[in-house]
Amino acid sequence: MVNWIWLFFIVASVVVAAITGKMDAVTQAAFEGAKSGVTVSFGLISIMVFWLGMMRIAEDAGLLRTLARMLGPVVRKLFPDVPPNHPALGYIMSNLSANLFGLGNAATPMGIKAMQELQKLNPDPATATPAMCTLLALNTSSITIIPTTLIAIRMNYGSANPAEIIGTTLAATFVATTAAILADRWYRRKSPPPIAPSPPRPENKKSASPASGGEAIV
């Protein structure tokens, strides 16, 4: 659906530009947008490489394991229907840890792996479990201590103080996460747990009874 929306915008802009005689402006805007995209991407690469390196140092130093142990009780409380020591819990904690430092690109693969592990516990693969909904809510609204990506974008556009958004980002994400958790708890109490669909019952078949020569129901 999103692809069709973007296609509509592109086609509509070209048609309107052709009618109004502003095709040159559309062409210039397209090239400037491509140039800006490449410039921002290079800036993001540098800041992402830096913070991913810092995360690797923290992992080798044991800081991430310490953070995971600190998050462990909270994660088990938020995901009571996931068995202890299940692989999904490890991926969930890695996802939350990456989001805390604003490393959305690093958090995404961990979130996908967590969803795949949670799907293995799903009695009805066609319906999301409460744990999967909780993970989606937390991943979307995760508390962010250092908004790495936003800081990099502000640096690329010449902000005088790129890191001044740390306080407001922390406050905003804290409110968002609190609201997501409250909504998740409310829906958990309101909605019954998913039930696996019953397997189809075998059809009754008639077979001849060897003793009486009649028909028997199997």
Side-chain angles (χ1 to χ4, degrees):
M1 186 63 182
V2 175
N3 292 335
W4 287 106
I5 294 174
W6 281 110
L7 179 61
F8 169 76
F9 284 143
I10 293 173
V11 173
S13 62
V14 173
V15 171
V16 172
I19 294 175
T20 58
K22 296 182 179 180
M23 286 298 297
D24 292 341
V26 172
T27 303
Q28 183 180 358
F31 282 110
E32 288 180 354
K35 179 181 177 181
S36 176
V38 172
T39 303
V40 172
S41 297
F42 275 112
L44 291 177
I45 289 173
S46 61
I47 195 69
M48 289 299 296
V49 167
F50 171 77
W51 281 108
L52 287 174
M54 294 295 291
M55 288 283 287
R56 183 58 183 268
I57 294 174
E59 181 181 2
D60 293 340
L63 294 179
L64 290 185
R65 287 190 294 272
T66 302
L67 181 60
R69 285 195 298 268
M70 294 172 60
L71 292 175
V74 178
V75 171
R76 286 190 292 271
K77 185 71 173 178
L78 292 173
F79 298 88
D81 43 350
V82 179
N85 300 322
H86 193 273
L89 292 177
Y91 288 120
I92 290 172
M93 286 187 284
S94 298
N95 174 267
L96 296 180
S97 299
N99 277 325
L100 283 175
F101 294 98
L103 300 174
N105 291 343
T108 298
M110 295 296 103
I112 294 174
K113 291 293 294 183
M115 281 293 187
Q116 291 174 345
E117 292 296 331
L118 291 176
Q119 181 69 356
K120 297 178 182 179
L121 302 173
N122 192 352
D124 182 7
T127 304
T129 62
M132 298 171 75
C133 295
T134 301
L135 175 59
L136 181 61
L138 290 177
N139 186 69
T140 305
S141 63
S142 178
I143 295 177
T144 303
I145 299 176
I146 303 175
T148 307
T149 304
L150 291 178
I151 291 175
I153 293 174
R154 288 169 60 86
M155 289 175 61
N156 283 323
Y157 283 98
S159 173
N161 188 1
E164 67 180 353
I165 61 172
I166 291 178
T168 53
T169 301
L170 179 60
T173 53
F174 176 80
V175 173
T177 302
T178 302
I181 293 174
L182 293 177
D184 176 74
R185 297 299 102 173
W186 185 79
Y187 277 107
R188 274 180 178 264
R189 289 194 297 268
K190 180 181 178 182
S191 304
I195 301 175
S198 301
R201 299 180 61 183
E203 297 180 358
N204 293 333
K205 296 182 180 180
K206 295 182 178 181
S207 61
S209 173
S212 61
E215 292 184 343
I217 302 299
V218 179

